[in-house]
Amino acid sequence: SNKSTVESLLNLVGHDERSETILIESRKMWQKIQAMDLLAEHVITPDSDIPTKYVNLSKYFGLIKKINFSEKKILQQTLRMIQAILKTLPVTTQPKCELCKRVLKVLEIQYIPCAKNHIYCPACFQNSFESRGYRCPNCTTPIPRQKDFTVPDTKRKEYELFKEVQRHCLDFFMETVSQCCFSPIGADKPNDDFFKFLLEIVTDTQNSDYIDLFPIDEEYTHSCPIARSVLLQLLLEYNPQEVKTKLQSYQDYIKKTHGNEYVVDDQELTLLCIKCLEDRLHKKNAQLLEFDEKLNIVIECMKKSESILTDGELVRKYEETIPVEYMDCIAQVRFGLCYAAKIFFEFYCFEEKQEALSRATKENLEKLRDITQKVIERGILKEPLDFLIKQIVRQYGFPYLDKLGQLPEFTGWLVPKTKGGSQDIDTFVIVGEDYTSLRAKWVLSPVPINHTEAEEELKASPVSKHIAAVLTLFRRISTQSSQKAAHNGQNELLGLRKECHIFSGIKENIKKSLTTEGSQVTEGSQIMETVRFSPWERNAEKSLAAIVVHFATVVATVSDNKMFTPFFKILTCSDGIENMYWPTMPDNILDIVIAATAGTTDTWWKCPNGHDYFVKNCGRPVVGEVQKCFCGAPIGGKATHVAREDNIKVADKPLKEKGLTKQGHCLELPRERSSVPSPQRELSRISNCLMRILLHSVCIWVASSNDKDICERLASVIVQDKPVAVEDVLQYFWQNLERDFQVLSRATQQSFDDCTLLVHTFIHKIADPMEVKIETDTNLPTRQAREQWERLFDETFIQPFTQDLNTPIEDARRKIVDDCNQDHRALFQMIYETASIESTNITPHLWIYRPQITIEHVAQSLEKDTSVTADLSVLREFLKNVNLLVSLQYLPDIVRLQRNLYEMCHHRIDQNEAKSTFKDFVQNHVTKAHQREKMMKWADSFCSAWNTVKQEIATLVIVPVPAEYISIQMTVNQPLAFFIPMRRNEGICSTALTHYLAMLQNNFIELSWKKLHVGSMRTKHHVSLEKLQDGQIIDFEHQISHVVFSHCKYSLKAGRGADVSYDFTALEKHILDRFVRGKPFMTCNVHLMSYRSDVLQAQTFNKIRKSIQQTPIPQKDKNIILQEIQDKQGLQHCIDIVNVALGFVQYSSWKHTAMLDRYMTSLKMQGLLPNSIQQQCQLTHIISLWRILNVEQARRIAIGKEDPFPDVGQAFKKPLDEEEITKLNIELGPYDMDQFLEFFYEFIVTQVKNRTEIEAEDCLVDAYLDVCDYFEVEKIPSFAERFPPQFSLEHVTAIWKHAVSYQQKNNQEV
């Protein structure tokens, strides 16, 4: 908390030269204090065994006291301090072999009991022993003949202590570098010498000044120490060209000193440089917003590399020396092919996306495809093609490689004929020998199935054999239809039903469940809209259909097990499925709120459009400040404790007993479902995905039947605003299954193929389930029963399976490879890099597949890692919501935007003006260029945040947003109304966005404080949005990659692929310390804007009358005002300005005698009204002035035979008949018509326009008098006594217009 406060103060800007100087000096001193804090945190306190008495903080402070943190001296002095610390240890250097000088791991040291206790690596010791016998290779001292030369325990502990201190020192050094480069209050940015010195550390690790900076990890083969990687990436962000030049200079120096062989053998630095150069391009591309800009960068990279890779002589020369230019070339091609794989998948596998692109973008797509083809076909190396295939298959799956290979744009070069396709891959082989033996007889053999022999074989077989039989039948059917030009996704499932029906060998209970009694097993005339696939989508269809068949068969087999009762009820379409709370379906959040209000007098109501709202205290609606729902419908009461007729009270009993959560299948439409993995209740992201796949699989099996009654029953359980037609049910569930696999792919970071293998393996694992004691009702009649069943199913089956996801995928791959022919086996080995690379040439190692080290990869690794026992609740929550938390960085800009829009628009613009685009509004109303740039920047932040979190905003209860707004993609070309904070219409989006972001930070900070054991701080450390500073926001986007890198371990050793792991405990601590500690809770107090027309409310006029005494304008002044305003445009302008003034007067404390021109000057609106108004009117005349201007305009409109009340509903515009006109002419005679028109106009505009159609039949006299009494408004004299009671509110506008005609006629007669 104190650290955050200090940095907030140091972030301020000085108001003069002296204060700026003080701030700069304070920042420098704070950096030194922080450096000492880092030394204490990382080196002194981590381990009690470290001899901290030798570490002198004052000595370090003396070293850095006069150093600027932007200079390389800070790095030099930090390294000097590290060396001093290491020298205090019993062992002062890393263990090295006395012969080859290689740094050794503790476990591989050969410790010689000679006089000087020399140490060697195993290879050198073995060679020396074979040639010289039992003598020390260095000092030739005879040594005893013993088999064990491992390090003694005492010495081992000393080496381990050195490595432990060394690791802490490295953390300290990296944190110091990070502080110098990224500190928000850094006095100066690091200079060129600073970065050049860092580059020396990266390239020259043998330098005696920092040779001991990089520890060798005992568990990982660190051919690329991660610290060097972080530093190199930092340098590439600083000045990539300078870094490349420096690297080349280093290579030239090495060549001159050690020769070319050393450079080629230095695979460590080569792989490191290529990796960092590639990552820099990925980061640069990710920061771009425009798709065409990203394409252009990729195309440019590929073009630069083409000239090198197509020159055979140059490539051979570069392979001998591996210069930096060649490293850059390889990095650019790797980056280009990674991005090309993504583009080809998105826009060639799904052509509808390509059709939506502009012509220029389509041309760029063709350029990317052409340049990729040139690099692959004309290039000397064969590895780029293999690398592209790896990217496509390992990210998206074999089906999409097949599809691309069959498109004319890719034919002949993407998938050569020697590679083969994936048509023959059989995922059922994971079932085992039961399946493969039956497949050999029933599928691969040309002999037809002998049903008698098959029945005899299956009669005494276990259940697993019967499952394998069904799968084999499906394989037989799908193989027979694989030669067709187009495929019907339903016919194969129907065909399997038919086979099961006539196949006597399968057990009767399985047959009965799969054929669904009463369903049509012949194809015949279909009532279902079939799922159709083009030929190249065949494999994706077949993979999903195989999942459906596999799980439906297992459910039919385990029907007696209560754990599978919900699935079996759906599979057999049993009675009661419409009353079941289906697994993984979402709960309505209002149920939780309602449960919290149980036992109170609070009540729930619905507005006319069905939206819920809440009435506290007595629970009976009153006439209050809030009169409209966010949708614009009127809410609350029409009088105290009298509800409006169109507002319905929600019955308490049904809500508390049954709740608002819907039964049946109540997900969003498949195309609208988010592909971002999310947990559900106590289910993790992966558990939720797997359970939904199982659910939709049985639904598809049922929907694929040709039985109309069954399909109608299934359609009846789908809960959507628009019912799903019977013929669309199969398509609906099929699309849901496709979306489930997309979500699972993101949750596991695996391709489509690997996800199908994962699901098949899981289904096979649960095919023979254990009996579990179940105390809940497995028919799931309540939400509580569903939650209990989900938890039990997850704990019993899913959690044990998902503890290690890599193993089942690798085992399944191995079975498939063994089952494939030679061509497919070679393809699999190439894609998954299962065969070791024997070549000593470095080229093959440059093209290994490497997962991107991203925050998503961290989340996946944590979910997979079963060895983690520490409480990592904060890290898990961070990784779960990282895509949402990143939007917090935009909150200060959003608050600034809302503040500026409030000042510019509050009571100053009308609803029609808010319909113009934000961009146009800024261009037309903001005159200063720099202010326009700021407004557009803030708006971009608003759009980025909205587009990131809009799906989560849909669940916000405190500010509910209509569904039609959630689907909007926000840009500056959207109407201004979306950016203005309001409680209704489009403005609800701005208000909801701010509330959600504040809630997001508050929830995460509350969780973090629990981890940090912070108790009373919550009541002390709050900040309102009005006073929000940038430093008080959880902002990590620009630093998170460096934090992740600094806590991961990986190996890029040639021939080993890429292994990555993370220190999760240290990562969580780093996130807490750097991004969370000291951040405040936020109080969301958004200033809500109102339109000019919003002031035309009875409440507004009542406030003005109570705060400022109101009197009418004298008739003489009134005539002068109206004479000066003759034209229609000038009159409307005056009305707009007066409306703005009214909006501010209601909050004013000015005296009623203040002149209007002075008040308008205080609003910076001087000179906008005619002199006759500003000089003759006081604030006491403001309502009278409003009446005069508006009545004059309405009078002119009425005389012109137009409608003066366009905002009033049609229910209040009933015309008068002849008898009513005659009666009205008699009664209007005694009235002062000017007064009558003004008072009556105010009643219509401030009261009648807000009423509902139901009130149109109310008596006009009673309604008028009730309003005047309630708001203490002066009445029209003798109105209660003289005005005819026969008129109702439906005549109100017609009466006013007739009064205008009546007055005009009398004036003409006079």
Side-chain angles (χ1 to χ4, degrees):
S1 175
N2 295 332
K3 176 182 176 182
S4 178
T5 304
V6 171
E7 293 193 351
S8 297
L9 291 172
L10 296 178
N11 233 348
L12 299 174
V13 178
H15 64 277
D16 56 22
E17 185 177 348
R18 182 170 178 272
S19 60
E20 190 66 29
T21 302
I22 293 174
L23 274 174
I24 291 174
E25 292 301 318
S26 301
R27 289 169 187 163
K28 290 179 179 178
M29 181 56 69
W30 180 248
Q31 280 188 303
K32 295 177 176 65
I33 294 172
Q34 287 298 100
M36 294 173 63
D37 179 60
L38 291 174
L39 178 64
E41 176 186 354
H42 290 284
V43 181
I44 298 179
T45 58
D47 194 326
S48 59
D49 292 334
I50 297 176
T52 57
K53 60 184 179 180
Y54 298 110
V55 181
N56 193 328
L57 280 174
S58 61
K59 177 181 178 181
Y60 182 55
F61 185 73
L63 291 173
I64 64 173
K65 183 176 182 180
K66 297 181 180 179
I67 294 178
N68 191 330
F69 272 56
S70 63
E71 300 174 355
K72 72 174 183 179
K73 286 185 179 180
I74 180 63
L75 302 179
Q76 292 172 330
Q77 298 295 7
T78 301
L79 288 172
R80 185 177 298 176
M81 191 69 207
I82 289 174
Q83 289 173 341
I85 293 169
L86 294 176
K87 287 179 181 177
T88 63
L89 301 175
V91 172
T92 60
T93 60
Q94 298 188 90
K96 291 181 184 178
C97 176
E98 295 288 344
L99 297 180
C100 66
K101 306 302 182 185
R102 181 170 67 87
V103 178
L104 303 176
K105 298 179 183 180
V106 174
L107 297 178
E108 66 179 357
I109 295 175
Q110 298 296 297
Y111 188 84
I112 307 303
C114 62
K116 295 186 178 180
N117 295 125
H118 291 127
I119 59 176
Y120 303 94
C121 68
C124 290
F125 178 76
Q126 185 65 27
N127 292 336
S128 175
F129 167 74
E130 292 175 355
S131 62
R132 304 179 62 180
Y134 281 91
R135 291 180 176 273
C136 175
N138 193 46
C139 62
T140 68
T141 303
I143 56 177
R145 295 176 178 271
Q146 61 186 50
K147 295 182 179 180
D148 187 9
F149 289 95
T150 56
V151 182
D153 286 345
T154 55
K155 200 67 177 178
R156 179 179 56 79
K157 290 180 180 179
E158 291 177 358
Y159 282 127
E160 289 174 349
L161 175 62
F162 178 86
K163 287 183 176 293
E164 183 71 13
V165 177
Q166 188 186 32
R167 185 175 64 80
H168 291 314
C169 288
L170 178 61
D171 290 342
F172 162 55
F173 178 78
M174 298 301 293
E175 280 292 308
T176 303
V177 173
S178 178
Q179 180 185 322
C180 294
C181 298
F182 301 114
S183 174
I185 51 88
D188 300 298
K189 294 298 179 184
N191 57 26
D192 289 351
D193 288 341
F194 179 95
F195 286 106
K196 288 177 180 177
F197 186 76
L198 279 182
L199 188 56
E200 290 179 8
I201 295 176
V202 172
T203 56
D204 191 6
T205 54
Q206 299 303 312
N207 190 298
S208 58
D209 290 336
Y210 34 83
I211 188 172
D212 291 327
L213 185 60
F214 303 113
I216 296 298
D217 194 280
E218 290 297 311
E219 298 176 358
Y220 263 76
T221 304
H222 262 278
S223 53
C224 295
I226 195 66
R228 297 174 71 192
S229 176
V230 174
L231 294 177
L232 188 54
Q233 289 200 45
L234 172 64
L235 291 166
L236 287 168
E237 289 181 17
Y238 151 68
N239 188 335
Q241 195 55 48
E242 176 72 23
V243 173
K244 293 175 190 177
T245 303
K246 181 68 177 176
L247 284 171
Q248 190 60 58
S249 301
Y250 168 72
Q251 276 199 345
D252 294 340
Y253 164 76
I254 293 296
K255 286 179 191 177
K256 193 177 293 185
T257 309
H258 301 281
N260 286 342
E261 294 77 10
Y262 185 91
V263 176
V264 176
D265 290 340
D266 191 8
Q267 296 176 348
E268 207 177 278
L269 186 59
T270 301
L271 295 174
L272 172 65
C273 291
I274 292 174
K275 172 196 168 299
C276 292
L277 289 166
E278 181 189 350
D279 285 344
R280 182 185 72 86
L281 293 171
H282 282 293
K283 286 182 183 178
K284 181 180 177 181
N285 206 37
Q287 292 169 357
L288 298 176
L289 299 177
E290 296 295 332
F291 180 58
D292 282 328
E293 291 181 355
K294 296 185 176 186
L295 275 179
N296 289 331
I297 284 186
V298 177
I299 293 169
E300 187 65 28
C301 287
M302 296 291 282
K303 283 183 177 179
K304 288 180 181 177
S305 305
E306 181 199 6
S307 59
I308 296 177
L309 295 182
T310 54
D311 188 335
E313 185 177 344
L314 187 61
V315 169
R316 284 187 288 273
K317 175 185 174 183
Y318 281 170
E319 283 184 328
E320 294 176 358
T321 58
I322 315 292
V324 174
E325 183 181 4
Y326 189 58
M327 296 181 196
D328 196 27
C329 169
I330 299 296
Q332 290 186 23
V333 175
R334 284 178 60 100
F335 159 71
L337 293 177
C338 284
Y339 198 77
K342 177 183 177 183
I343 296 301
F344 295 161
F345 167 74
E346 290 183 357
F347 295 101
Y348 286 96
C349 292
F350 303 95
E351 294 176 357
E352 63 275 9
K353 289 187 178 182
Q354 189 176 151
E355 292 172 1
L357 299 175
S358 65
R359 181 179 176 180
T361 305
K362 289 180 180 178
E363 291 176 355
N364 280 336
L365 278 181
E366 292 179 6
K367 290 179 182 178
L368 176 60
R369 178 178 50 77
D370 290 341
I371 190 63
T372 305
Q373 184 176 355
K374 288 178 182 178
V375 168
I376 289 174
E377 287 191 325
R378 300 180 186 177
I380 303 302
L381 302 175
K382 65 178 180 64
E383 284 82 5
L385 173 59
D386 293 345
F387 184 77
L388 178 60
I389 293 174
K390 290 178 193 177
Q391 292 293 329
I392 296 172
V393 173
R394 294 182 70 164
Q395 291 190 58
Y396 310 111
F398 268 114
Y400 301 103
L401 179 66
D402 288 341
K403 176 173 181 178
L404 290 173
Q406 296 180 44
L407 291 175
E409 298 93 332
F410 297 90
T411 302
W413 67 271
L414 180 59
V415 187
K417 294 181 180 179
T418 54
K419 294 289 184 183
S422 60
Q423 300 93 300
D424 297 325
I425 293 176
D426 186 356
T427 53
F428 286 148
V429 296
I430 66 171
V431 174
E433 188 178 350
D434 286 340
Y435 171 76
T436 54
S437 61
L438 291 177
R439 184 186 63 173
K441 300 174 185 177
W442 299 356
V443 180
L444 302 180
S445 174
V447 180
I449 299 178
N450 187 318
H451 287 261
T452 304
E453 292 181 1
E455 181 179 357
E456 191 65 27
E457 182 178 359
L458 293 174
K459 185 180 296 183
S461 300
V463 171
S464 60
K465 191 84 169 184
H466 290 262
I467 295 175
V470 177
L471 301 184
T472 308
L473 289 176
F474 178 74
R475 175 68 176 174
R476 179 168 175 265
I477 294 168
S478 61
T479 302
Q480 290 172 352
S481 64
S482 62
Q483 303 303 319
K484 296 180 181 179
H487 304 281
N488 185 311
Q490 182 188 3
N491 278 348
E492 290 180 9
L493 298 179
L494 282 170
L496 179 59
R497 288 172 180 274
K498 182 177 179 181
E499 287 283 348
C500 290
H501 187 72
I502 65 175
F503 201 86
S504 57
I506 299 176
K507 287 188 176 182
E508 285 301 319
N509 66 323
I510 302 177
K511 183 189 302 185
K512 182 178 179 181
S513 300
L514 289 180
T515 55
T516 314
E517 187 175 355
S519 67
Q520 301 174 31
V521 296
T522 57
E523 296 179 18
S525 58
Q526 297 180 3
I527 56 93
M528 296 292 294
E529 179 66 28
T530 58
V531 185
R532 295 187 179 274
F533 296 86
S534 51
W536 47 74
E537 290 179 301
R538 172 63 185 163
N539 292 313
E541 172 213 3
K542 190 164 65 174
S543 296
L544 294 182
I547 294 288
V548 171
V549 171
H550 196 172
F551 186 61
T553 307
V554 169
V555 171
T557 306
V558 297
S559 57
D560 295 336
N561 192 309
K562 286 190 175 182
M563 285 297 294
F564 292 84
T565 298
F567 297 125
F568 186 74
K569 284 173 66 69
I570 298 171
L571 180 71
T572 55
C573 229
S574 305
D575 293 336
I577 60 171
E578 61 276 359
N579 297 321
M580 182 174 72
Y581 284 91
W582 283 34
T584 75
M585 297 299 111
D587 286 327
N588 191 317
I589 196 170
L590 284 177
D591 281 331
I592 302 171
V593 183
I594 290 170
T597 62
T600 68
T601 56
D602 305 335
T603 57
W604 286 91
W605 296 73
K606 285 185 179 292
C607 81
N609 292 330
H611 299 118
D612 299 286
Y613 67 93
F614 185 57
V615 179
K616 284 181 64 63
N617 299 329
C618 70
R620 293 177 290 176
V622 298
V623 179
E625 292 293 322
V626 180
Q627 289 189 324
K628 288 186 178 180
C629 179
F630 67 86
C631 65
I635 62 174
K638 67 177 183 180
T640 302
H641 294 164
V642 178
R644 304 179 69 95
E645 289 84 350
D646 52 357
N647 280 241
I648 302 170
K649 184 179 180 182
V650 181
D652 293 331
K653 189 174 180 181
L655 276 179
K656 291 172 183 176
E657 290 183 356
K658 186 175 181 181
L660 297 170
T661 299
K662 298 173 183 176
Q663 296 163 315
H665 190 280
C666 53
L667 292 178
E668 304 101 325
L669 289 171
R671 303 298 187 197
E672 297 176 4
R673 277 177 56 194
S674 172
S675 61
V676 177
S678 60
Q680 188 67 249
R681 288 176 287 279
E682 296 185 27
L683 298 177
S684 68
R685 300 182 310 160
I686 295 179
S687 297
N688 192 33
C689 292
L690 281 173
M691 202 174 288
R692 280 188 179 168
I693 286 173
L694 302 183
L695 176 70
H696 290 136
S697 295
V698 292
C699 290
I700 289 172
W701 180 259
V702 176
S704 66
S705 72
N706 206 18
D707 188 290
K708 185 176 181 180
D709 293 337
I710 288 176
C711 294
E712 284 179 347
R713 175 177 287 185
L714 194 59
S716 68
V717 302
I718 300 174
V719 182
Q720 292 291 341
D721 294 335
K722 183 179 178 182
V724 177
V726 176
E727 60 270 17
D728 295 331
V729 169
L730 178 59
Q731 187 80 6
Y732 172 81
F733 285 116
W734 194 278
Q735 290 174 355
N736 267 297
L737 186 61
E738 289 176 333
R739 181 50 61 98
D740 292 335
F741 269 91
Q742 292 173 12
V743 177
L744 182 63
S745 180
R746 291 191 63 172
T748 59
Q749 294 286 296
Q750 303 288 351
S751 68
F752 171 81
D753 288 333
D754 288 343
C755 286
T756 57
L757 294 179
L758 190 69
V759 175
H760 273 300
T761 306
F762 175 66
I763 295 173
H764 179 58
K765 290 281 187 184
I766 64 176
D768 187 19
M770 66 184 88
E771 285 294 334
V772 180
K773 185 178 180 181
I774 302 176
E775 297 180 354
T776 188
D777 188 345
T778 54
N779 293 314
L780 310 188
T782 64
R783 292 187 297 119
Q784 292 74 18
R786 172 176 64 185
E787 186 172 354
Q788 292 170 5
W789 178 85
E790 285 176 342
R791 185 190 312 115
L792 191 58
F793 192 90
D794 184 36
E795 292 174 351
T796 305
F797 300 118
I798 302 180
Q799 287 185 18
F801 177 76
T802 55
Q803 287 181 354
D804 180 13
L805 294 178
N806 287 330
T807 300
I809 292 175
E810 291 171 0
D811 290 344
R813 281 182 193 158
R814 186 168 54 254
K815 290 178 181 179
I816 290 175
V817 170
D818 293 341
D819 187 63
C820 287
N821 58 36
Q822 188 173 355
D823 284 341
H824 284 104
R825 190 173 296 121
L827 180 62
F828 263 83
Q829 289 175 343
M830 182 275 291
I831 290 173
Y832 293 106
E833 299 171 346
T834 55
S836 59
I837 303 174
E838 302 298 338
S839 174
T840 57
N841 187 351
I842 193 175
T843 299
H845 307 293
L846 303 179
W847 299 96
I848 60 171
Y849 178 85
R850 178 172 58 83
Q852 295 292 317
I853 298 177
T854 61
I855 199 71
E856 289 80 10
H857 190 269
V858 178
Q860 175 209 354
S861 301
L862 178 58
E863 197 154 350
K864 287 181 179 179
D865 195 340
T866 58
S867 63
V868 177
T869 57
D871 174 20
L872 300 174
S873 55
V874 174
L875 179 61
R876 294 182 190 277
E877 187 69 16
F878 177 82
L879 296 174
K880 171 185 168 184
N881 294 313
V882 66
N883 293 324
L884 302 174
L885 289 168
V886 73
S887 59
L888 285 173
Q889 63 179 310
Y890 304 119
L891 185 55
D893 280 354
I894 294 171
V895 171
R896 295 182 190 108
L897 176 67
Q898 291 177 338
R899 188 183 303 139
N900 275 262
L901 289 177
Y902 183 85
E903 294 174 359
M904 294 174 64
C905 303
H906 183 55
H907 292 317
R908 298 174 188 268
I909 66 170
D910 225 326
Q911 201 158 356
N912 288 333
E913 296 174 70
K915 292 179 180 177
S916 64
T917 68
F918 178 88
K919 187 176 182 180
D920 291 343
F921 175 81
V922 171
Q923 292 294 334
N924 297 331
H925 293 80
V926 182
T927 56
K928 296 180 180 179
H930 74 279
Q931 188 64 24
R932 278 200 302 272
E933 290 178 6
K934 283 184 179 180
M935 293 282 284
M936 294 302 291
K937 173 181 172 293
W938 298 337
D940 287 338
S941 296
F942 181 98
C943 296
S944 298
W946 172 267
N947 295 331
T948 301
V949 304
K950 61 182 180 180
Q951 295 299 330
E952 300 300 320
I953 288 177
T955 64
L956 200 62
V957 175
I958 189 171
V959 189
V961 180
E964 58 267 25
Y965 295 155
I966 295 296
S967 59
I968 290 175
Q969 186 73 10
M970 200 67 69
T971 68
V972 293
N973 292 317
Q974 291 290 354
L976 171 67
F978 282 107
F979 297 83
I980 297 172
M982 301 184 76
R983 276 278 184 180
R984 58 189 171 90
N985 302 335
E986 295 92 340
I988 196 76
C989 297
S990 182
T991 306
L993 178 60
T994 312
H995 275 82
Y996 176 77
L997 292 178
M999 181 188 72
L1000 188 65
Q1001 168 145 328
N1002 290 346
N1003 290 345
F1004 189 71
I1005 286 178
E1006 185 171 19
L1007 176 65
S1008 302
W1009 280 359
K1010 289 178 182 177
K1011 184 68 179 279
L1012 296 170
H1013 305 293
V1014 178
S1016 60
M1017 190 181 294
R1018 180 171 184 178
T1019 59
K1020 298 179 181 178
H1021 201 194
H1022 285 70
V1023 63
S1024 68
L1025 287 182
E1026 291 180 332
K1027 301 177 181 178
L1028 184 66
Q1029 300 291 325
D1030 288 352
Q1032 296 170 324
I1033 288 293
I1034 298 175
D1035 182 6
F1036 55 83
E1037 184 180 29
H1038 302 297
Q1039 299 182 43
I1040 190 63
S1041 61
H1042 298 285
V1043 172
V1044 170
F1045 267 104
S1046 61
H1047 293 288
C1048 85
K1049 303 173 184 178
Y1050 65 88
S1051 168
L1052 294 178
K1053 190 175 182 64
R1056 285 179 53 109
D1059 289 331
V1060 184
S1061 69
Y1062 301 91
D1063 185 345
F1064 294 115
T1065 304
L1067 180 58
E1068 182 187 66
K1069 181 179 182 301
H1070 203 148
I1071 289 172
L1072 281 168
D1073 289 344
R1074 177 171 289 193
F1075 304 128
V1076 181
R1077 193 186 294 273
K1079 304 298 183 186
F1081 267 79
M1082 286 187 286
T1083 306
C1084 194
N1085 49 351
V1086 182
H1087 286 302
L1088 300 179
M1089 204 211 80
S1090 300
Y1091 294 124
R1092 278 198 305 263
S1093 58
D1094 291 341
V1095 303
L1096 306 182
Q1097 305 284 344
Q1099 292 89 343
T1100 303
F1101 282 64
N1102 187 41
K1103 284 182 182 179
I1104 294 173
R1105 288 187 173 102
K1106 286 185 175 181
S1107 60
I1108 298 177
Q1109 178 184 343
Q1110 293 297 302
T1111 56
I1113 296 176
Q1115 187 64 40
K1116 178 182 176 182
D1117 295 338
K1118 175 180 172 181
N1119 294 336
I1120 295 173
I1121 290 171
L1122 293 178
Q1123 285 176 3
E1124 188 170 349
I1125 307 174
Q1126 292 297 326
D1127 63 291
K1128 181 178 179 181
Q1129 188 174 0
L1131 181 59
Q1132 181 61 53
H1133 174 74
C1134 291
I1135 291 173
D1136 291 341
I1137 299 303
V1138 172
N1139 284 345
V1140 174
L1142 280 172
F1144 291 101
V1145 168
Q1146 63 179 315
Y1147 306 109
S1148 173
S1149 59
W1150 285 50
K1151 293 184 178 180
H1152 68 281
T1153 56
M1155 297 303 297
L1156 188 58
D1157 63 339
R1158 283 186 57 211
Y1159 186 73
M1160 300 301 287
T1161 300
S1162 71
L1163 299 179
K1164 298 181 181 179
M1165 298 173 65
Q1166 62 271 26
L1168 298 181
L1169 290 173
N1171 292 333
S1172 58
I1173 294 178
Q1174 293 200 150
Q1175 295 175 3
Q1176 298 184 44
C1177 292
Q1178 301 174 341
L1179 285 186
T1180 189
H1181 301 134
I1182 189 72
I1183 291 181
S1184 178
L1185 176 62
W1186 175 85
R1187 285 174 175 170
I1188 292 169
L1189 296 175
N1190 279 276
V1191 167
E1192 179 62 23
Q1193 184 188 55
R1195 182 189 285 115
R1196 295 179 186 179
I1197 293 172
I1199 293 172
K1201 305 301 182 184
E1202 297 180 22
D1203 184 6
F1205 303 104
D1207 296 333
V1208 177
Q1210 290 297 320
F1212 304 98
K1213 295 182 178 180
K1214 184 178 180 180
L1216 301 171
D1217 57 29
E1218 292 298 327
E1219 183 181 344
E1220 291 168 337
I1221 291 174
T1222 303
K1223 179 69 173 175
L1224 193 58
N1225 285 337
I1226 297 172
E1227 300 300 336
L1228 287 177
Y1231 288 108
D1232 179 343
M1233 289 310 299
D1234 283 345
Q1235 185 186 53
F1236 180 90
L1237 289 173
E1238 289 177 12
F1239 282 35
F1240 214 57
Y1241 180 87
E1242 180 182 341
F1243 170 66
I1244 293 173
V1245 171
T1246 63
Q1247 271 290 323
V1248 176
K1249 79 169 186 179
N1250 297 319
R1251 300 200 175 204
T1252 60
E1253 295 181 4
I1254 299 174
E1255 299 172 278
E1257 296 179 1
D1258 291 354
C1259 175
L1260 173 60
V1261 175
D1262 291 343
Y1264 177 74
L1265 295 177
D1266 285 346
V1267 169
C1268 292
D1269 291 340
Y1270 185 83
F1271 291 105
E1272 300 178 0
V1273 181
E1274 182 184 359
K1275 304 181 185 70
I1276 300 173
S1278 67
F1279 187 83
E1281 297 81 13
R1282 296 188 56 84
F1283 202 81
Q1286 69 192 66
F1287 292 104
S1288 61
L1289 282 176
E1290 62 185 352
H1291 300 114
V1292 65
T1293 58
I1295 291 172
W1296 192 90
K1297 288 193 287 185
H1298 181 74
V1300 170
S1301 302
Y1302 179 84
Q1303 184 188 41
Q1304 184 185 26
K1305 182 179 179 181
N1306 286 348
N1307 290 341
Q1308 288 174 351
E1309 292 175 357
V1310 172

